Amino acid sequence: MTTDTVPAADIEAIERIVATVERTQRAKDADGFLALFHPDALWTTAHGKVLVGLDEIAAFTRAVLPAADWDGQVTYEVVHTRFLRPDVAAVKIRQVYHAPEGDSEGSPLYVMTRRDDGHWLLHVGQNTEVRTG
């Protein structure tokens, strides 16, 4: 299935979810971020911490996100979307932390699922730190 055969509304909805990830990360809005997840989500941080289910993801997020200390901004850009089924999409992201000492990059992969009501949710996330050199 290619993006040519997928309704534009689904692509736009996925892009809105990624934009909301960016907005909630910048605002350190744990509740807004957590609202994007499927209850059975599986999330792996850039440093390899595996979080299984929304309860674990929520506990980690509420402990870490509000206390996060960074001196810059983060941006998220959808670079590739592959629909595995009409209701399942693999979404590759370019994540850049813009900081005074220089940029650093992450390369998340999100697997998103669409509920029966058409709403997309983060179901699986694997973040990978991009190292240069």
Side-chain angles (χ1 to χ4, degrees):
M1 171 172 275
T2 67
T3 54
D4 296 342
T5 60
V6 174
D10 285 326
I11 294 169
E12 291 165 4
I14 287 169
E15 290 174 348
R16 279 193 306 275
I17 295 292
V18 173
T20 303
V21 170
E22 177 180 310
R23 182 183 51 75
T24 57
Q25 291 290 308
R26 285 181 174 203
K28 300 180 185 180
D29 175 6
D31 290 333
F33 179 68
L34 293 168
L36 303 173
F37 284 88
H38 188 280
D40 294 328
L42 172 65
W43 195 256
T44 305
T45 70
H47 301 291
K49 183 166 184 65
V50 178
L51 306 167
V52 179
L54 186 55
D55 289 343
E56 277 189 32
I57 296 166
F60 177 84
T61 300
R62 288 191 173 110
V64 173
L65 186 58
D69 184 25
W70 61 73
D71 222 8
Q73 294 291 331
V74 62
T75 58
Y76 290 74
E77 174 190 3
V78 174
V79 293
H80 185 76
T81 302
R82 171 72 49 129
F83 285 84
L84 307 175
R85 297 186 335 206
D87 61 340
V88 178
V91 184
K92 195 63 182 161
I93 308 295
R94 181 171 186 254
Q95 172 191 57
V96 180
Y97 290 96
H98 305 278
E101 63 275 1
D103 292 351
S104 62
E105 191 170 333
S107 183
L109 173 65
Y110 299 157
V111 176
M112 299 175 70
T113 53
R114 187 181 65 211
R115 297 188 316 203
D116 290 340
D117 66 2
H119 187 79
W120 285 88
L121 293 172
L122 296 169
H123 210 123
V124 177
Q126 169 70 51
N127 197 354
T128 302
E129 180 182 358
V130 176
R131 295 188 180 186
T132 58

